[in-house]
Amino acid sequence: MMPKIHHLAVNKLRIPVFIGVKPQERARAQLIEIDFKVTFQHPPKGCVSDQLEDTVCYADLVKQVIATAQHKEYALLEHLNHTIHQALSRLLEKDIKITLKVAKLTPPIPNIFGGVSYQIQDQ
């Protein structure tokens, strides 16, 4: 039997964040899109028990992401991503890996129509 990889993903979480290198860019909140995935080394017990307490609650993860992103102003996507990644890491068991992508949907650069993103992926 082939081993299975178990992921839990949250896609296209959109929240307003005060972000930008220049103060005028941070003067108003900008919509940021966040995608994250947690990868389990072993299937959560919830796969069998069907009980929330036997798995990772994505609502709790989303609350932490929002609280962290809106806690302060950020100049860089890199720093915002790193700060959110650290906050998620504190909520999860050490053997759970995180992939986190943070995207600025409307960067202040002409001709970029798909946004700009920064991603961290645990190995």
Side-chain angles (χ1 to χ4, degrees), residues 43-111:
K45 291 178 187 174
C47 290
V48 175
S49 73
D50 201 24
Q51 299 298 310
L52 180 59
E53 60 270 10
D54 289 337
T55 192
V56 172
C57 177
Y58 60 84
D60 291 342
L61 299 179
V62 167
K63 285 179 196 172
Q64 184 63 53
V65 168
I66 293 170
T68 302
Q70 295 182 332
H71 175 70
K72 66 176 194 167
E73 293 182 358
Y74 297 88
L76 301 175
L77 283 174
E78 292 88 341
H79 182 63
L80 173 60
N81 190 309
H82 173 76
T83 304
I84 293 170
H85 186 278
Q86 284 184 318
L88 288 174
S89 294
R90 287 190 293 272
L91 288 179
L92 298 168
E93 294 178 18
K94 299 296 180 215
D95 65 340
I96 296 176
K97 307 296 184 198
I98 302 167
T99 301
L100 173 66
K101 182 172 85 171
V102 176
K104 187 184 251 189
L105 298 177
T106 55
I109 299 171
N111 303 318

Side-chain angles (χ1 to χ4, degrees), residues 3 6 16 18 32 36 38 46-47 50-51 54 59 75 78 81 87 108 110 112-113 118 120:
H6 293 255
F18 290 94
I32 297 295
F36 64 90
V38 296
C47 290
D50 201 24
Q51 299 298 310
D54 289 337
E78 292 88 341
N81 190 309
I112 296 179
F113 297 101
Y118 187 81
I120 295 175

